[in-house]
């Protein structure tokens, strides 16, 4: 059991935002699975992402890895949390459960993001118990959006969006907020992110305790600009041009990025633990990237993740992936 600000994740195993958490059926299966401690929705925008046949996924032949060209959910946020929303319906039918949802959201407009957070806060206020069953994650790292590079590679670009989340947190400090980050390569990138997030900390005037609006980091998202040829993918034929996915390049995930993702988790966990700001030392990491075996789960925890997430294995096996990941590892933690 892991407490991440106002939500409790038990067991500490989740799906990450992905195409296999898009709709009512998928979300229900994830929620009803006893091996998931929380359910993360596919990243939603205010109006929905225009998805077409170029947005797809290919699984590699020789490793449990994937390449996807997906954008965000084709369903607008209202499909998840509106009056007939899927998340709302699941929460309503399960009043005795404590399993939370992590609503993954993003938008290229800070004002649209503000509208989305208003709607999320309305949902959390609808039922007193839902404040501890709904968290929000800002996906700042999808590599597949043409004309909109991930803002998380340049902290000044990220700040206007984090300002919005910070504003909502200070109005309601029960809100659990996280950020989904990309794979970083340079040491200075990790330092910039941690130092940038630390600027949002404030001292509580009553307790004198340092508080930061951001409770968790999900790392990592897929590795962008990756190329897989058709003959490297299952099925073998691929799309026109001999590529595994129609655009050619996409986001690489699964075993192929596991070591890189472990390095990101380790780098962030070390910097957070060494921060002079007590609030930063409380930020949790959801470790993701190549989590395809119980041993990979153990490695993520050893690197510093308090919660572990997966997507590629979910796409491959369905919700049975989480039972597989819950088996005893041959590695010691």
């Amino acid at each position: 059991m892991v407490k991440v600000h106002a939500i409790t994740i038990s067991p500490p195993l989740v799906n990450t935002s992905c195409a296999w958490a898009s709709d009512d059926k998928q979300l229900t299966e994830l929620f009803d699975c006893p091996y998931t401690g929380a359910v993360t929705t596919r990243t939603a925008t205010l109006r929905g992402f225009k998805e077409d046949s170029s947005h797809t996924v290919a699984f590699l032949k020789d490793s449990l890895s994937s390449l996807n060209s997906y954008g965000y959910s084709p369903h607008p946020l209202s499909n998840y949390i509106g009056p007939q929303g899927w998340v709302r319906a699941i929460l309503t039918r399960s009043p005795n459960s404590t399993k939370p949802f992590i609503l993954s959201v993003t938008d290229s407009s800070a004002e649209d993001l503000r509208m989305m957070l208003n709607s999320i806060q309305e949902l959390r206020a609808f039922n007193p118990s839902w404040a501890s069953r709904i968290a929000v994650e800002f996906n700042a790292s999808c590599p597949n959006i043409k004309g909109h590079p991930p803002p998380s590679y340049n902290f000044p670009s990220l700040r206007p969006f984090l300002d919005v989340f910070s504003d909502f947190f200070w109005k309601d400090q029960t809100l659990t907020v996280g950020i989904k980050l990309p794979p970083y390569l340079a040491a200075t990138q990790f330092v910039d992110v941690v130092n940038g997030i630390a600027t949002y900390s404030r001292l509580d005037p009553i307790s004198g305790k340092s508080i930061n609006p951001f409770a968790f980091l999900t790392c990592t998202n897929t590795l962008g600009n990756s190329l897989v040829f058709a003959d490297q993918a299952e099925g073998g034929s691929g799309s026109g041009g001999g590529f595994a996915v129609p655009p050619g390049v996409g986001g690489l995930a699964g075993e192929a990025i596991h070591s890189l993702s472990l390095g990101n988790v380790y780098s962030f966990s070390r910097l957070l633990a060494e921060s002079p700001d007590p609030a930063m030392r409380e930020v949790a990491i959801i470790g993701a990237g190549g989590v395809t075996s119980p041993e990979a789960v153990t490695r993520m925890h050893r690197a510093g993740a308090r919660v572990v997430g997966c997507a590629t294995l979910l796409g491959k096996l369905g919700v049975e992936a989480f039972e597989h990941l819950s088996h005893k590892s041959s590695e010691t933690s």
Side-chain angles (χ1 to χ4, degrees), residues 56-68 226-240 242-246 248 251-253 316:
T56 187
V57 65
F59 293 95
L60 277 64
K61 285 179 181 177
D62 298 327
S63 75
L64 226 172
S65 303
S66 64
L67 184 79
N68 84 79
S226 299
L227 178 66
V228 172
F229 289 103
D231 59 4
Q232 296 176 276
E234 292 182 355
S237 58
S239 62
F243 300 126
V245 297
L252 187 66
K316 190 78 171 174

Side-chain angles (χ1 to χ4, degrees), residues 134-152:
I134 299 172
V136 61
E137 173 191 82
F138 175 48
N139 186 344
S141 51
C142 181
N144 297 332
I145 311 301
K146 291 182 179 179
H148 295 282
S152 47

Side-chain angles (χ1 to χ4, degrees), residues 24 76-90 92 123:
D24 183 31
L77 180 65
S78 59
N79 282 26
Y80 294 92
I81 67 170
Q84 306 301 318
W86 303 316
V87 171
R88 182 188 291 263
I90 294 170
T92 300
L123 177 66

Side-chain angles (χ1 to χ4, degrees), residues 72 138-144 150-153 180-183 218 220-222:
Y72 304 122
F138 175 48
N139 186 344
S141 51
C142 181
N144 297 332
S152 47
Y153 280 115
K180 188 172 186 179
L181 297 171
T218 302
T220 67
N221 205 331
T222 60

Side-chain angles (χ1 to χ4, degrees), residues 254-263 289-292 295-297 299-300:
E255 290 176 346
I257 68 164
H258 186 53
S259 293
L260 178 59
S261 297
L262 285 172
V291 178
T292 59
E295 290 73 26
V297 173
R299 288 191 288 270
M300 278 293 178

Side-chain angles (χ1 to χ4, degrees), residues 15-130:
N15 69 293
T16 54
S17 58
C18 62
W20 304 288
S22 294
D23 58 28
D24 183 31
K25 180 177 183 296
Q26 292 169 333
L27 294 172
T28 297
E29 289 178 350
L30 287 164
F31 185 85
D32 290 342
C33 175
Y35 300 98
T36 59
V39 177
T40 309
T41 64
R42 187 175 182 182
T43 302
T45 58
L46 183 63
R47 298 172 183 84
F49 180 81
K50 292 182 179 179
E51 192 169 80
D52 58 38
S53 60
S54 71
H55 300 108
T56 187
V57 65
F59 293 95
L60 277 64
K61 285 179 181 177
D62 298 327
S63 75
L64 226 172
S65 303
S66 64
L67 184 79
N68 84 79
S69 53
Y70 289 121
Y72 304 122
S73 176
H75 308 291
L77 180 65
S78 59
N79 282 26
Y80 294 92
I81 67 170
Q84 306 301 318
W86 303 316
V87 171
R88 182 188 291 263
I90 294 170
L91 290 171
T92 300
R93 71 165 172 80
S94 56
N96 296 321
S97 174
T98 59
K99 183 180 289 190
F101 275 92
I102 300 172
L103 299 174
S104 182
V105 299
T106 198
D107 212 288
S108 59
S109 161
E111 285 310 306
D112 283 357
L113 195 61
R114 192 176 296 276
M115 293 173 64
M116 297 171 76
L117 283 167
N118 272 323
S119 297
I120 290 170
Q121 288 296 73
E122 288 173 5
L123 177 66
R124 293 179 71 247
F126 182 79
N127 184 312
S129 69
W130 291 1

